């Protein structure tokens, strides 16, 4: 069901389809990073389901792409079926994948898009052509994500000047998307243009995505970087080592208030206090224009064990009370500019947001 | 050489002498916290040396007290010796203990005080009386620390009002001193006066003293507390849960700039941005009036493994560059008041500092 096959040293291909329509999906098993970079080969929908469920693949865009390919794998034997059986199976496959991470919005967006494509063709095409169209739709979802990340990089690269120190938080990089990321897209694009940067990577407690994933990813791209604990960011800023902070976003309200990984808000306040520009890089799909401001974004609370244990070992007394918000909300006044695939939002305000991503 | 014997549920006695001059020292083995609270019985100077070396006892005041008692243990068989042999042995014991943690200033302060007391009496007293005087000196060092911590608590308790949320960082508590601490002394004193507080405890990466030690200590005192990751402090402030921040200090310059555990400076900036008072609690011996300001305080850089490993397990890629400053310096303008055993410094400025602790 799985095999070992590392990608080349420069390429971080979070997931890739191997072969033609009868091929299979390979994805980097992120639970093994940074100790080992091993790809899991997914030859059936069950393996994709397990990879999403077990966080082998993570990050909203990457989950969506994996699920779309999962639909293709689930329908690989369906060409000979009657339309009724084909659509009954498609429904089953969709429901099965939807249960892998029920709170991941991008998972449903991708599955709905796949199902919608099949429904469009039902009256005019047979199962073999619909299966072909589904595979092309999955490849389109994948390619659009790649193009979107590249576009974010292109739009924002000029904000990072030669010799700058750039601080980032969590992993808004290739491992969360198809290959290029959002916050890290700016860094990769600038790097490709010859801009010399030094990236400071917050380890990002409690789940250490910065230490485990971003530090690894930057090393693959040969971009100089330094790992710090989250509590060291202020000191590094004070020492003049940081000229820009760039993070991703989970959800952005119409006025620009931004929900992102816990710790982002504190960094924005610290950047403001040190006169350092704070940038948010995110695709236009991250904006939720039905939310007027960030106070309407619910903050997910997570379990105590993420804080009281590290890699399964206890670091705090048993039974201690823990507060573990997964996200925080950064008011738009702390955000110098936002970088989307459609352009840079500067200044950050509702009219500019509606004009560019509305 | 060691035995198990936990202290009572309310008492956190970091170290205690058991019996008369021929007795022994017991100290809480802090390397086992928070999983287990076990005392080590030190019946000879070698065991004290090992306890300091292995961080079973930590925190500047506690190390000084342990070393003073270590001198007593090293001289327990010395009463029958000639003055020459007695003083030769005292010198050996002092040198031996001085090598346990060569960078700990309080270790040398305590050892020098013990040696000075013996030297004072050399011309007029024999070994048995000098041994008695050394034991009394060690008890005086211990008692003075206890009284100093209590005085800090008494001086500052009124700053914490009923119903307040108080954020603290690292461990400036009883485990770093004889039993009451500095920052936590304010909390203990207010609690004893019936003030209801809720303490938010930063876990304090990289070494997790907040999670391992402060959370445990507050639980022993039955003070309601909540553990958070360092990156969550800003969000907790924004939610209105914090009305005061209290930390200890490692070294304070004449103008009030304060070196303390990494992360303190960021908290001070965040507290300022949220209009929350930031207090520093420290004995007058922490002030170094020969330093005009904080830029003159050297910042110790520590090894990468503290950041890349947690409890011996890797959390970051091999060979990644790490920046790991042990301390940062908080400019005095962010510090609302300082609490010493001699009084509260408010406002924090050089003339007030020289008047109270000069």
């Amino acid at each position: 069901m799985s095999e070992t096959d590392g990608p080349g040293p420069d390429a971080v291909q979070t997931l890739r389809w191997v072969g033609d329509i009868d091929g299979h999906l390979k994805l980097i098993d992120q639970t093994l990073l940074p100790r080992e970079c091993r790809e899991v080969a997914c030859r059936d929908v069950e393996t994709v389901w397990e990879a999403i469920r077990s966080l082998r693949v993570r990050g909203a865009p990457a989950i969506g792409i994996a699920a779309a390919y999962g639909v293709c794998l689930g329908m690989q034997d369906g060409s000979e079926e009657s339309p009724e059986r084909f659509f009954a199976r498609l429904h089953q496959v969709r429901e099965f994948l939807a249960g892998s991470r029920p709170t991941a919005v991008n998972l449903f967006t991708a599955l709905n898009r796949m199902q919608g494509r099949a429904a469009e063709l039902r009256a005019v095409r047979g199962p073999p052509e619909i299966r072909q169209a589904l595979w092309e739709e999955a490849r389109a979802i994948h390619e659009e994500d790649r193009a979107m990340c590249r576009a974010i990089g292109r739009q924002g690269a000029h904000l990072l000047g030669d010799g700058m120190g750039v601080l980032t938080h969590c992993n808004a990089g290739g491992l969360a998307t198809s290959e290029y990321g959002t916050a890290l897209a700016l860094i990769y694009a600038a790097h490709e243009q010859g801009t010399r940067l030094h990236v400071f990577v917050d380890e990002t407690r409690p789940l250490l995505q910065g230490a485990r994933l971003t530090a690894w990813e930057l090393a693959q791209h040969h971009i100089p970087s330094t790992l710090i604990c989250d509590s060291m960011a202020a000191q590094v800023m004070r020492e003049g080592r940081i000229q820009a902070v760039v993070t991703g976003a989970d959800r952005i309200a119409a006025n620009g208030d931004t929900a992102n990984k816990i710790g982002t808000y504190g960094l924005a306040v610290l950047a403001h206090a040190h006169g350092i520009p704070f940038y948010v890089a995110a695709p236009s799909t991250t904006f939720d224009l039905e939310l007027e401001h960030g106070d309407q974004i619910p903050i997910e609370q997570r379990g105590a064990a993420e804080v009281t244990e590290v890699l399964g070992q206890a670091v705090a007394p048993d039974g201690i009370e823990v507060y573990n918000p997964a996200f925080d909300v950064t008011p738009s006044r702390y955000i110098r500019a936002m970088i989307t695939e459609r352009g840079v939002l500067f200044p950050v305000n509702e009219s500019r947001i509606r004009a560019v991503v509305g």
Side-chain angles (χ1 to χ4, degrees), chain A:
Chain A
M1 197 90 83
S2 84
E3 62 193 38
T4 300
D5 179 13
D10 277 317
V12 174
Q13 280 197 281
T14 309
L15 21 68
R16 60 193 176 107
W17 185 266
V18 180
D20 61 10
I21 188 171
D22 295 312
H24 62 280
L25 175 67
K26 282 194 166 182
L27 48 86
I28 293 175
D29 184 349
Q30 298 190 35
T31 63
L32 302 178
L33 289 175
R35 292 192 201 198
E36 190 182 349
C37 178
R38 189 197 295 175
E39 286 184 300
V40 179
C42 303
R43 299 177 190 280
D44 50 45
V45 65
E46 290 79 10
T47 312
V48 175
W49 183 92
E50 195 278 337
I52 297 172
R53 178 74 149 202
S54 305
L55 311 181
R56 299 189 201 289
V57 59
R58 50 155 285 286
I63 288 172
I65 298 162
Y69 283 127
V71 170
C72 299
L73 290 168
M75 301 310 293
Q76 259 174 347
D77 303 324
S79 298
E80 307 301 314
E81 293 175 335
S82 69
E84 289 67 33
R85 283 188 62 93
F86 182 90
F87 274 89
R89 181 126 74 106
L90 180 60
H91 179 75
Q92 277 180 355
V93 165
R94 188 209 169 280
E95 292 300 298
F96 177 62
L97 285 167
S100 61
R101 272 192 85 184
T103 58
V105 173
N106 282 54
L107 176 66
F108 293 93
T109 307
L111 291 174
N112 290 344
R113 186 166 155 184
M114 294 294 280
Q115 196 167 36
R117 181 71 183 129
E120 255 171 39
L121 298 175
R122 182 165 189 169
V124 293
R125 294 280 189 278
E129 293 91 344
I130 296 175
R131 195 188 139 217
Q132 177 72 28
L134 285 173
W135 184 55
E136 285 163 8
E137 194 71 16
R139 291 165 67 88
I141 291 172
H142 192 171
E143 188 48 48
E144 286 164 25
D145 180 73
R146 188 182 276 126
M148 181 272 292
C149 290
R150 293 265 170 190
I152 289 175
R154 210 161 44 236
Q155 295 283 359
H158 69 280
L159 296 169
L160 307 180
D162 200 48
M164 274 191 179
V166 182
L167 178 68
T168 190
H169 190 65
C170 197
N171 177 257
L175 289 167
T177 61
S178 54
E179 66 176 34
Y180 214 61
T182 53
L184 294 193
L186 271 64
I187 291 165
Y188 294 143
H191 181 71
E192 287 168 13
Q193 292 167 13
T195 307
R196 287 163 301 173
L197 301 174
H198 192 101
V199 183
F200 284 83
V201 180
D202 268 356
E203 66 175 3
T204 317
R205 278 282 286 155
L207 294 180
L208 297 164
Q209 293 94 335
R212 293 190 301 108
L213 305 178
T214 300
W216 179 84
E217 209 183 302
L218 292 169
Q220 301 304 304
H221 284 263
H222 306 291
I223 295 177
S225 68
T226 298
L227 178 65
I228 60 172
C229 295
D230 303 308
S231 63
M232 296 169 188
Q235 173 67 12
V236 174
M237 289 180 187
R238 185 158 185 256
E239 292 175 6
R241 295 170 190 253
I242 306 291
Q243 283 68 48
V245 181
V246 189
T247 73
D250 279 274
R251 204 165 171 195
I252 304 174
N255 73 340
D257 290 353
T258 296
N260 192 45
K261 182 64 58 199
I262 186 71
T264 303
Y265 165 61
L267 286 181
V269 174
L270 291 170
H272 182 78
H274 291 85
I276 299 167
F278 184 91
Y279 301 119
V280 169
S284 53
T285 51
T286 311
F287 290 80
D288 185 345
L289 300 184
E290 294 185 6
L291 296 177
E292 279 177 64
H293 51 73
D295 291 351
Q296 295 167 292
I297 303 176
I299 302 294
E300 177 192 358
Q301 302 297 327
R302 296 180 58 86
E306 287 183 358
V307 176
T308 59
E309 296 177 8
V310 178
L311 300 176
Q313 291 189 81
V315 295
D318 281 349
I320 186 88
E321 186 184 317
V322 168
Y323 183 57
N324 183 16
F327 304 106
D328 56 31
V329 175
T330 300
S332 60
R333 68 178 179 279
Y334 290 114
I335 303 169
R336 180 74 60 90
M338 290 179 162
I339 300 94
T340 76
E341 78 281 14
R342 299 189 194 166
V344 174
L345 307 181
F346 173 79
V348 177
N349 59 42
E350 183 155 356
S351 63
R352 180 83 183 131
I353 288 172
R354 290 199 183 272
V356 175
V357 304

